[in-house]
């Protein structure tokens, strides 16, 4: 994976020093750091070495601002300026968009999302995938499926993803893949119907089938919630029904090997072709149930049709439903998080 060579102009800036330390700790797989106490040090560095700097981070209203813009323009270096209040930056000679390659952002912006956008903007490249169909993927695939009250599948999947991301000491990101029709994910991610043109599952499948992937297109297929990445839902859910077992395996190989996800949570629906074969690829399957006669009958049918009782990968979860079933997804997750039910689930999750 290519790294962005980034300069940090940290003269009299505690914020930039802390930003550099944070990136070194959390994003050193994507960003190579160079620290400069002043702009002249950056200029000397570029003149005496063959190194290139892709990006310069600095704080608003630095000394020698015109020199910074001049040097960055000469060496085609993109600039990220952090400001207390973007609306007032114009008073300090830094109006967003007025200078080429300059982006002004709020100091309280989501740094992880900013870095991801920057990374794929600078490092966008197309490359051919080398999918070894005989090899085993390196991710732990965790499936979620409900035999009753399927409206709680997505909240449970999000709860599981969030719990694993918080407990994983290696700081790896967790991926959530939604294959349940009408799960509510589209509304959850996009309540105001914004960014409706973002890519999603169908675009990921196209890249899988063609064998050619673009970094920029790939990141457009995902949304992020903290340490959880979510593949955006398809615009037409029929693509789930059209997905063959071979397509599914190739996609999982890309997600686990090319993108190096350690954990992939899959919220399952029954429209997937070869549904039971797909389930058998999971490290663990959590079956959500209640004590109703319908749920027990469906559980019996599930084992009979899938033969999954032979694999010892199924774990039954007696669902504790919130008293208010009209709660939105985030409130259901939050309610479980602080309950005995949530504590018991965290202890049972595969880590």
């Amino acid at each position: 994976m290519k790294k962005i060579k980034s300069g940090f102009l940290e003269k009299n800036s505690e914020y930039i020093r802390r930003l550099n330390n944070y990136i070194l700790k959390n994003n050193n797989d994507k960003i190579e750091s160079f620290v400069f106490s002043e702009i002249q040090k950056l200029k000397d560095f570029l003149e005496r070495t063959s190194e290139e700097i892709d990006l310069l981070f600095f704080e608003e209203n630095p000394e020698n601002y015109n020199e910074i813009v001049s040097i960055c323009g000469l060496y085609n270096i993109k600039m990220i300026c952090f400001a207390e209040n973007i609306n007032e930056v114009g008073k300090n000679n830094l109006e967003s968009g007025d200078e080429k390659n300059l982006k002004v952002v709020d100091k309280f912006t989501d740094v992880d999302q900013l870095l991801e956008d920057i990374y794929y903007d600078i490092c966008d490249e197309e490359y051919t995938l080398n999918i070894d169909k005989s090899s085993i993927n390196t991710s732990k695939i965790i499936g979620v499926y409900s035999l009753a009250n399927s409206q709680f599948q997505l909240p449970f999947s999000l709860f599981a993803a969030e719990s694993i991301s918080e407990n994983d000491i290696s700081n790896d990101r967790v991926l959530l893949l939604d294959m349940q029709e009408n799960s509510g994910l589209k509304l959850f991610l996009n309540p105001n119907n914004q960014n409706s043109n973002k890519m999603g599952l169908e675009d990921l499948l196209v890249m899988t089938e063609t064998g050619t992937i673009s970094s920029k297109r790939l990141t457009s297929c995902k949304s992020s919630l903290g340490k959880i990445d979510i593949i955006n839902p398809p615009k037409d859910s029929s693509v789930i029904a059209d997905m063959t077992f071979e397509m599914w395996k190739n996609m999982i190989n890309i997600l686990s090997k090319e993108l190096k996800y350690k954990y992939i949570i899959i919220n399952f629906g029954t429209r997937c072709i070869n549904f039971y074969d797909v389930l058998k690829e999971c490290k663990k399957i959590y079956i959500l149930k209640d004590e109703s006669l319908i749920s027990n009958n469906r559980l019996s049918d599930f084992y009979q049709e899938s033969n999954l009782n032979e694999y010892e990968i199924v774990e039954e979860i007696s669902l504790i439903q919130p008293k208010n079933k009209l709660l939105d997804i985030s409130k259901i997750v939050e309610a479980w998080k602080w309950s005995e039910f949530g504590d018991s689930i965290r202890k049972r999750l595969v880590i």
Side-chain angles (χ1 to χ4, degrees):
M1 180 181 283
K2 180 181 176 181
K3 287 189 177 185
I4 298 177
K5 294 183 178 180
S6 300
F8 294 81
L9 192 60
E10 63 171 31
K11 183 178 181 180
N12 300 324
S13 176
E14 182 64 23
Y15 181 89
I16 296 297
R17 278 192 286 271
R18 290 182 178 181
L19 175 67
N20 181 42
N21 291 335
Y22 177 83
I23 289 175
L24 287 174
K25 180 180 178 181
N26 298 283
N27 299 90
N28 61 2
D29 59 328
K30 294 181 179 179
I31 294 181
E32 186 176 354
S33 174
F34 298 84
V35 178
F36 303 98
S37 59
E38 55 186 31
I39 191 61
Q40 186 61 42
K41 299 289 186 183
L42 170 62
K43 183 178 179 182
D44 294 342
F45 173 82
L46 294 169
E47 288 178 347
R48 74 171 185 269
T49 70
S50 59
E51 294 277 6
E52 295 181 353
I53 298 294
D54 301 306
L55 184 66
L56 180 68
F57 294 100
F58 63 94
E59 195 172 356
E60 66 174 302
N61 198 25
E63 296 178 10
N64 305 321
Y65 165 68
N66 291 332
E67 189 177 3
I68 292 175
V69 174
S70 175
I71 291 174
C72 289
L74 181 62
Y75 290 93
N76 196 28
I77 300 172
K78 293 183 180 295
M79 295 169 283
I80 301 292
C81 171
F82 289 92
E84 286 281 0
N85 189 332
I86 294 179
N87 294 328
E88 296 182 0
V89 168
K91 298 176 182 179
N92 296 323
N93 261 345
L94 287 172
E95 294 188 24
S96 179
D98 282 357
E99 304 289 353
K100 185 180 179 182
N101 290 334
L102 170 65
K103 183 174 184 178
V104 180
V105 298
D106 194 291
K107 284 185 177 181
F108 301 101
T109 193
D110 183 339
V111 172
D112 290 320
Q113 187 62 53
L114 172 67
L115 293 175
E116 184 164 345
D117 293 342
I118 292 170
Y119 179 81
Y120 288 111
D121 182 48
I122 293 178
C123 298
D124 185 35
E125 56 183 353
E126 284 197 355
Y127 55 93
T128 302
L129 297 168
N130 182 20
I131 302 175
D132 184 356
K133 298 180 180 180
S134 64
S135 64
I136 301 174
N137 72 70
T138 56
S139 294
K140 292 181 179 179
I141 312 297
I142 300 171
V144 176
Y145 183 61
S146 180
L147 300 172
N149 297 304
S150 59
Q151 71 269 30
F152 294 107
Q153 271 189 227
L154 181 59
F156 185 89
S157 300
L158 285 164
F159 176 79
E162 186 173 318
S163 299
I164 290 174
S165 70
E166 290 174 350
N167 291 334
D168 183 29
I169 60 174
S170 65
N171 207 36
D172 289 304
R173 297 186 70 82
V174 176
L175 180 71
L176 174 61
L177 177 61
D178 182 35
M179 298 180 66
Q180 179 192 12
E181 186 180 14
N182 300 322
S183 67
L185 179 62
K186 187 177 295 184
L187 183 62
F188 174 71
L189 292 176
N190 194 14
N192 298 317
N193 199 31
Q194 297 173 341
N195 299 322
S196 57
N197 294 323
K198 288 197 71 173
M199 295 183 176
L201 177 60
E202 63 268 55
D203 302 284
L204 178 61
L205 289 172
V206 168
M207 287 186 277
T208 300
E209 286 298 284
T210 60
T212 302
I213 196 164
S214 159
S215 302
K216 202 166 187 175
R217 287 175 62 200
L218 186 58
T219 195
S220 183
C221 291
K222 301 183 296 178
S223 295
S224 297
L225 292 173
K227 286 179 62 179
I228 305 171
D229 287 338
I230 303 174
I231 298 297
N232 296 323
K235 296 178 179 63
D236 182 355
S237 61
S238 65
V239 301
I240 298 174
D242 296 334
M243 189 188 308
T244 66
F245 184 47
E246 195 68 25
M247 291 168 64
W248 188 88
K249 287 198 299 183
N250 289 345
M251 181 178 66
I252 293 299
N253 271 327
I254 290 173
L255 296 173
S256 64
K257 295 176 183 176
E258 297 291 331
L259 299 183
K260 303 186 186 305
Y261 283 106
K262 186 176 179 181
Y263 299 98
I264 300 177
I265 312 290
I266 302 179
N267 180 35
F268 278 108
T270 54
R271 292 194 69 189
C272 182
I273 298 176
N274 304 112
F275 175 59
Y276 294 120
D277 290 330
V278 171
L279 289 181
K280 290 171 186 175
E281 297 290 312
C282 296
K283 176 80 173 179
K284 180 70 73 174
I285 304 168
Y286 294 102
I287 299 294
L288 310 183
K289 63 174 188 174
D290 59 27
E291 300 307 318
S292 67
L293 179 61
I294 293 177
S295 181
N296 289 329
N297 288 339
R298 287 177 176 172
L299 183 62
S300 177
D301 293 341
F302 173 81
Y303 282 124
Q304 185 175 355
E305 294 174 13
S306 67
N307 294 320
L308 281 169
N309 53 334
E310 302 175 2
Y311 287 76
E312 298 182 351
I313 61 174
V314 176
E315 187 161 348
E316 300 171 16
I317 302 289
S318 294
L319 195 62
I320 305 297
Q321 302 175 22
K323 293 180 180 179
N324 184 356
K325 296 184 180 181
L326 298 179
L327 288 174
D328 62 32
I329 291 173
S330 59
K331 290 182 179 178
I332 293 173
V333 173
E334 193 69 17
W336 282 340
K337 190 185 300 184
W338 304 107
S339 67
E340 292 183 4
F341 173 71
D343 291 339
S344 67
I345 297 302
R346 277 188 284 266
K347 295 175 182 177
R348 298 165 68 178
L349 288 172
V350 176
I351 301 294

